[in-house]
Amino acid sequence: MPDRLGCVEHVNATSRTPWVVGVSGASGTPYAASVLRALLRAGEAVDLVVSRASRLTLLDETGISFRDAHWREDLGEWLARGADGKPGTFTGLDLSDVRYWAAGDLSAGPSSGSYPVKGMIIVPASTACVAGVALGLSKDLLQRAASVTLKERRPLVVTVRETPLNGQTLRHLVTLDEAGAVVLPASPAFYAGATHIQDLVDFVAGRTLDAAGVPHTLYRRWEGELGGGSREN
């Protein structure tokens, strides 16, 4: 009987199948925050990888220092901020099903194809990150996890945030597309009736989650009628 119970406990412990979310050093940390909030509200487990460069961007854009030893506290503060930087905009998030992996930890779970995940979202994706994944460099855990996602034929959404794009980056994006990734530029639309910077951020986050197949209510969808952008949300 104890052995049987132990077996059941083991199965339950290994049934967690998260989305890997990689945050690179491109400007656009509010996009990542919106995606993370929506994943958690959808009941999805998350494995988080924050690159070293993205910590500098996060500090610059929000004033938050993301620390390995205090990642849960720092993540909570980050996700509570709105796109306008106002603290305490979002509350009530449950971070209990978030697992954080340091970017330098190449022995982490997502570095192996045998580690069960639903797929991976890179948001925002810098051109350096795009190049590294396209070339298969795996210089850190973010790039390695993306390479694993591609080789295992799992969904990979790359929300690239850069402009203008040079020819080399465009070729790298084509390589990712041919490898099976969804290349999703962080390009907000205005037909959903945006009245605040958060609406524009949530539109990009929502389209990112659409590409991953995760349900959400981040933006008002096109209904086939003109004038939708002038209606109140």
Side-chain angles (χ1 to χ4, degrees), residues 116-223:
V117 302
K118 291 183 177 180
M120 182 174 182
I121 298 169
I122 305 177
V123 56
S126 66
T127 54
C129 173
V130 166
V133 177
L135 296 174
L137 298 182
S138 297
K139 74 177 184 64
D140 61 10
L141 179 59
L142 195 159
Q143 292 184 10
R144 171 59 185 169
S147 295
V148 168
T149 301
L150 289 175
K151 80 179 183 69
E152 296 294 328
R153 302 296 190 266
R154 295 167 180 161
L156 174 63
V157 183
V158 180
T159 306
V160 60
R161 214 307 308 166
E162 186 60 87
T163 191
L165 298 173
N166 63 30
Q168 192 63 54
T169 298
L170 290 170
R171 285 187 283 273
H172 289 152
L173 292 173
V174 170
T175 297
L176 292 180
D177 176 78
E178 292 175 342
V182 175
V183 175
L184 197 147
S187 301
F190 296 86
Y191 61 76
T195 59
H196 189 275
I197 186 175
Q198 189 67 54
D199 299 326
L200 298 175
V201 167
D202 286 347
F203 181 87
V204 171
R207 294 298 288 148
T208 298
L209 292 170
D210 288 344
V214 178
H216 65 87
T217 57
L218 287 175
Y219 68 90
R220 183 170 62 205
R221 297 181 182 278
W222 175 251
E223 298 174 349

